[in-house]
Amino acid sequence: MSAHSLLLNSFFRPRSSCRLSSQVRHLATPSASTPKPKSNFRETLVSGPSLDDFISGEPIEHVVLGNTKGPRLPSFLKTKIPSGESFNKIKKDLRGLGLHTVCEEARCPNIGDCWGGKEGATAEEGKRAATATIMLMGDTCTRGCRFCSVKTSRTPPPLDPHEPENTAEAISRWGLGYIVLTSVDRDDLVDGGAHHFAETIMKIKQKAPQILVEALTGDFAGNLEHVSLVAKSGLDVYAHNVETVEELTPFVRDRRATFRQSLKVLEHAKKEGVRITKTSIMLGVGETEEQVMYALRELRKINVDVVTFGQYMRPTKRHMKVDRYVEPSEFDRWKQIADDMSFSYVASGPLVRSSYKAGEYFIENMLKGKATENRVKNLVTQEASTSHTQTT
């Protein structure tokens, strides 16, 4: 046999070692002959808690859920599920009219109170006493305040040119006695949306002059000409929120908003002939008593008429934390302090928000003002008649 044949035979000859190794099976589980480890389940069950432990009423361990580092939500900040005839009617009307409210989108805890009207009133009376806050100019803001859950963008969608007419028509058919209009900040617009805001108010007053209108505006980047546009549109109340004390403003609001700029907006609105100016302050963000007192004094210097105090509530974990939950008694004290400083009206409480029951409070105070005016007129008349009698 040639060397070439021997080489081929050796190459193709099957090797017994390879064949044997390929027939070996490696099992993932132990074979039946392998002894199983003894189970400890029975012993674990016997040594664990018995039925008596579960029904004894004395827990073996305390399991704490949620965030244990931050302050716990107190009971006075928990609200009932909104209901009632007036509430259900307003909610149904909103769907039919195609209106969007901050009350729903921001999940305001006072929606049941504001939409519920007055207790014991008829459906029509409750509707007239109810308050709703309508959002204008879209749902996307150009600013990013650290307490607000409204979505933000540098380039929000363009304004709907038909919104003023459609909103005015819907509100006039709705039949509420008091309406609050607000909007996102629109720094992307030349006028900040002032013309759009003013046009909506004017159309509402044209269609339903009996409706009281409150405008809760932004600061229009400090442009007082734009403030004038809204202030002269026929509104009844001009509202702009300072939100917090001056010292905390850089940490709470967007960097483009300042405490002094907000004061200028409120002061200018009053100079333009607005009857009532209004602002709101959040408590529980780290403010001190001295800082709040200073803020109130600054507001009185520019003749702000109405101030509200409310508890800051953290919308999501991405927003600034709550420093503390303020007790109701402290809110009562701030109400007394502001009343003593001659604010026309003060709403103060853990769940109070800027437009909380605005219609009811505004109408109530207007009636009080008219009653006082009538008493003065009666006294003048009486004095005049007395003097006439004495001279004759």
Side-chain angles (χ1 to χ4, degrees):
M1 186 180 290
S2 65
H4 180 69
S5 300
L6 288 173
L7 181 61
L8 288 174
N9 287 337
S10 62
F11 183 80
F12 288 103
R13 185 185 301 133
R15 295 183 180 179
S16 57
S17 60
C18 293
R19 186 165 55 248
L20 287 173
S21 63
S22 64
Q23 293 175 354
V24 175
R25 297 176 63 196
H26 299 279
L27 300 177
T29 57
S31 62
S33 59
T34 306
K36 294 181 179 179
K38 189 175 180 180
S39 174
N40 292 326
F41 178 74
R42 187 185 298 274
E43 288 80 356
T44 303
L45 187 62
V46 171
S47 62
S50 66
L51 179 61
D52 292 335
D53 295 320
F54 286 100
I55 63 177
S56 64
E58 298 179 2
I60 299 173
E61 294 182 3
H62 290 282
V63 179
V64 180
L65 301 176
N67 180 18
T68 59
K69 296 180 180 179
R72 301 242 355 200
L73 186 71
S75 59
F76 55 78
L77 285 172
K78 298 174 183 177
T79 57
K80 296 179 181 179
I81 297 174
S83 61
E85 189 176 355
S86 178
F87 172 84
N88 294 328
K89 181 71 168 62
I90 288 175
K91 189 171 184 179
K92 184 179 178 181
D93 288 347
L94 281 170
R95 301 289 81 79
L97 297 172
L99 295 175
H100 300 282
T101 67
V102 177
C103 318
E104 289 181 295
E105 293 182 13
R107 299 179 181 179
C108 179
N110 302 310
I111 189 170
D113 288 340
C114 288
W115 289 15
K118 292 184 177 180
E119 262 186 64
T122 64
E124 192 60 32
E125 288 172 341
K127 192 175 181 180
R128 286 197 301 269
T131 304
T133 303
I134 305 299
M135 175 80 85
L136 300 176
M137 297 193 279
D139 62 353
T140 305
C141 187
T142 53
R143 298 190 184 183
C145 295
R146 293 157 185 83
F147 64 89
C148 182
S149 61
V150 174
K151 60 184 178 182
T152 63
S153 172
R154 291 181 180 178
T155 55
L159 298 181
D160 176 7
H162 304 293
E163 184 180 48
E165 176 66 31
N166 293 340
T167 301
E169 179 63 27
I171 288 173
S172 64
R173 288 191 285 114
W174 197 2
L176 289 186
Y178 193 104
I179 197 76
V180 181
L181 300 177
T182 189
S183 73
V184 291
D185 281 295
R186 293 298 301 259
D187 297 294
D188 60 312
L189 303 175
V190 175
D191 67 344
H195 284 87
H196 192 89
F197 214 129
E199 184 184 356
T200 304
I201 295 169
M202 287 187 284
K203 288 186 178 296
I204 292 173
K205 287 294 186 177
Q206 288 170 5
K207 294 177 182 292
Q210 77 281 1
I211 296 178
L212 299 171
V213 179
E214 174 183 324
L216 174 58
T217 76
D219 59 15
F220 298 112
N223 189 315
L224 299 183
E225 290 182 6
H226 299 156
V227 174
S228 297
L229 276 174
V230 180
K232 293 180 178 179
S233 62
L235 51 76
D236 298 284
V237 179
Y238 193 109
H240 173 67
N241 294 338
V242 296
E243 306 294 2
T244 187
V245 297
E246 184 169 15
E247 292 81 356
L248 294 180
T249 296
F251 308 102
V252 174
R253 302 172 69 187
D254 185 273
R255 59 180 176 78
R256 287 163 284 188
T258 69
F259 185 82
R260 291 291 151 185
Q261 187 164 276
S262 291
L263 290 181
K264 288 178 182 178
V265 168
L266 290 164
E267 183 179 22
H268 190 72
K270 178 66 78 172
K271 288 179 180 178
E272 290 291 354
V274 174
R275 291 177 61 195
I276 294 178
T277 52
K278 176 180 174 182
T279 195
S280 183
I281 298 175
M282 295 182 296
L283 300 182
V285 297
E287 70 287 335
T288 66
E289 183 172 337
E290 293 76 15
Q291 291 169 348
V292 178
M293 284 297 300
Y294 178 75
L296 290 175
R297 285 194 293 268
E298 293 299 293
L299 291 170
R300 281 309 299 142
K301 283 180 183 178
I302 59 171
N303 295 318
V304 170
D305 302 287
V306 179
V307 63
T308 67
F309 297 95
Q311 170 69 54
Y312 165 62
M313 304 284 283
R314 190 183 189 187
T316 70
K317 291 183 178 179
R318 294 183 291 104
H319 294 82
M320 67 178 190
K321 295 180 180 179
V322 175
D323 179 71
R324 67 187 179 102
Y325 289 114
V326 181
E327 293 292 325
S329 58
E330 186 173 339
F331 279 105
D332 293 340
R333 190 168 63 84
W334 281 118
K335 178 176 177 8
Q336 185 60 54
I337 290 171
D339 281 335
D340 293 341
M341 296 175 71
S342 299
F343 283 94
S344 299
Y345 183 78
V346 183
S348 181
L351 293 173
V352 168
R353 295 297 178 265
S354 176
S355 54
Y356 175 63
K357 284 191 174 180
E360 183 177 327
Y361 291 144
F362 178 82
I363 293 169
E364 181 182 349
N365 280 277
M366 286 294 292
L367 290 173
K368 287 180 180 178
K370 286 182 179 179
T372 303
E373 185 179 347
N374 290 334
R375 283 198 299 271
V376 171
K377 286 182 179 178
N378 291 334
L379 287 171
V380 171
T381 304
Q382 289 174 5
E383 288 180 2
S385 61
T386 303
S387 300
H388 178 73
T389 304
Q390 288 174 351
T391 54
T392 57

